[in-house]
Amino acid sequence: MTRPIGYFVHHQGRGHAERAAAIVNALPADRPVVLFSARADIFPPLASNVTIRTIPSLFEVTGDEPTGLANVRTPSSLHCAPLGWKSITHAVATIASWFDAARPALFVTDVSAELALLARIASVPCVSVLQHGDRSDAGHMAAYESALGILAPYSASLEQPGRPDWMLAKTHYAPGVGVKIDPIDRSAARTALGLPLDAEIVVVVAGGGGNGTPATPLTLGARAEPDTLWLTIGAVEQEWHATAPGNLRHLGWVDTPALYIAAADRVVSSAGNTTVHMIAAIGRPWIVVPEWRYFDEQLWKARTLDQAGAAIMLEHWPSHAGAWMDAWTRAATLELSRQHALYAADAAQNAASWLAKVADDAWAQPVVALPPDPAPASTELAPSTHHAKA
């Protein structure tokens, strides 16, 4: 019987679920997979060998948490491990019970340092997903050190400095895994969306992991270009003092974000993993403004994009029209080939093959390299170099 693979999927944003689905759907059909997540509705269609086990969130309150334990100190080896939460106890018990019953080949965490360590404590081989950010703390490093392998959902050229050699040695890079882009040119995309063919269009892409892109800086950029159509897709956070010009339109969530990116002449975005790889696959003059995330994840990703010559990073939103114009001038010099190099259409299949190999090798009998057989001893006596005394 083929041992199953377990896979924890964080439910914030969309990238975790999309890349997990792409990878497990590419695994062999005879490999059972169980996805553990706080939400089952975030996944695209899954293969018949993949099932979902819904578990309570590991960080969202339910209302019955004891206040007396709320201020107990958290050790440096953990990130989010409050005491007395029945929901967390139930989530951990569900996963641990499955470990005991299923005897899995491997457990993948995308992402939770605590669950990676739980797998190690439970004697289950683990693979940890690596994201950008300052993750040199004790908890993250213990999870990476405990793992058989590390899966990085980005190009090796976007690796940030400071990763130790032992981490890099067991890291598999999967550039743009979970992102599927069908080739389409600008005119065809505009026709499909009903957008004017002859207009200059800026598309602003906001991710799904935060409160949204602030509206006010966008009003400044759009007002500075009255003959350019500015479109936003995703969540936009409105502010009472924002006065939107007529050439700025907020479209909200759309079903075809890649189509809007393809329709654009220029793009502004956050630095979420899915957003980054959609834009890189299509290729446009690009300004990236990182949103706040734990461990400065988006800040580090934006830095690596800028250093790779793929995008122009701004550490904060422009506060006046001149800052927008300066950023656009720099974005116009980008080589789009550097963006395209950050995306691999076969990333999911390659990641699945690597994951299956890690799982199989973990349970294979070790091969001991034996020394070569010694040469047979000669039966002839070598001539003596000494002479007996007369």
Side-chain angles (χ1 to χ4, degrees):
M1 173 183 166
T2 303
R3 290 178 181 267
I5 289 177
Y7 206 129
F8 169 74
V9 183
H10 202 301
H11 63 285
Q12 182 180 23
R14 301 184 179 185
H16 304 282
E18 289 171 350
R19 64 182 174 235
I23 292 169
V24 299
N25 282 345
L27 286 169
D30 63 346
R31 172 80 71 176
V33 179
V34 178
L35 301 176
F36 294 89
S37 183
R39 288 179 57 183
D41 62 339
I42 58 176
F43 295 96
L46 297 168
S48 59
N49 57 310
V50 182
T51 58
I52 302 174
R53 292 279 298 272
T54 304
I55 58 174
S57 171
L58 298 175
F59 60 89
E60 292 174 273
V61 298
T62 61
D64 62 352
E65 293 76 18
T67 57
L69 293 169
N71 292 327
V72 176
R73 184 180 180 89
T74 301
S76 61
S77 56
L78 300 173
H79 301 140
C80 182
L83 292 175
W85 285 34
K86 182 180 178 181
S87 56
I88 294 179
T89 302
H90 180 63
V92 170
T94 301
I95 295 172
S97 296
W98 182 78
F99 286 165
D100 184 43
R103 297 286 293 147
L106 201 62
F107 185 65
V108 184
T109 63
D110 186 3
V111 285
S112 170
E114 286 83 3
L115 291 185
L117 294 177
L118 173 69
R120 182 58 186 258
I121 293 169
S123 197
V124 174
C126 181
V127 162
S128 289
V129 172
L130 174 64
Q131 301 185 122
H132 283 93
D134 183 358
R135 302 182 189 272
S136 59
D137 59 275
H140 275 116
M141 297 308 288
Y144 303 143
E145 191 173 5
S146 296
L148 293 187
I150 297 172
L151 177 62
Y154 51 84
S155 168
S157 64
L158 293 183
E159 188 56 275
Q160 65 191 61
R163 308 286 201 203
D165 290 342
W166 61 261
M167 277 185 64
L168 300 179
K170 59 180 176 180
T171 298
H172 174 84
Y173 294 94
V177 62
V179 176
K180 187 177 184 301
I181 300 297
D182 296 318
I184 184 169
D185 64 27
R186 184 182 285 105
S187 295
R190 292 188 179 190
T191 298
L193 295 170
L195 297 173
L197 297 179
D198 57 350
E200 179 79 7
I201 296 179
V202 170
V203 171
V204 182
V205 186
N211 293 328
T213 296
T216 306
L218 306 182
T219 67
L220 302 176
R223 189 175 292 110
E225 300 183 289
D227 296 326
T228 298
L229 177 60
W230 281 55
L231 305 174
T232 72
I233 58 175
V236 173
E237 189 173 26
Q238 296 291 344
E239 299 167 289
W240 66 269
H241 50 83
T243 52
N247 62 324
L248 174 61
R249 303 177 190 171
H250 301 303
L251 304 181
W253 293 111
V254 299
D255 294 329
T256 55
L259 205 56
Y260 280 90
I261 296 168
D265 294 290
R266 293 172 278 147
V267 176
V268 185
S269 80
S270 60
N273 199 63
T274 299
T275 298
V276 160
H277 287 100
M278 279 195 298
I279 297 169
I282 295 167
R284 291 291 183 268
W286 182 12
I287 295 172
V288 60
V289 187
E291 295 181 2
W292 183 92
R293 289 294 184 274
Y294 290 104
F295 305 102
D296 285 334
E297 177 189 335
Q298 287 206 10
L299 177 61
W300 274 102
K301 187 180 290 293
R303 284 173 178 168
T304 62
L305 287 167
D306 190 283
Q307 291 166 1
I312 299 301
M313 185 198 82
L314 301 179
E315 291 198 3
H316 55 78
W317 287 98
S319 59
H320 56 89
W324 274 113
M325 294 303 101
D326 176 68
W328 285 128
T329 298
R330 290 188 288 143
T333 67
L334 295 172
E335 297 180 16
L336 302 190
S337 61
R338 295 192 177 189
Q339 297 177 7
H340 296 151
L342 304 179
Y343 170 78
D346 58 354
Q349 184 59 61
N350 289 340
S353 298
W354 171 80
L355 201 63
K357 185 176 187 306
V358 172
D360 291 339
D361 289 353
W363 296 91
Q365 292 296 323
V367 177
V368 179
L370 297 175
D373 292 335
S378 174
T379 57
E380 297 182 4
L381 294 176
S384 173
T385 57
H386 299 282
H387 301 278
K389 292 182 180 180

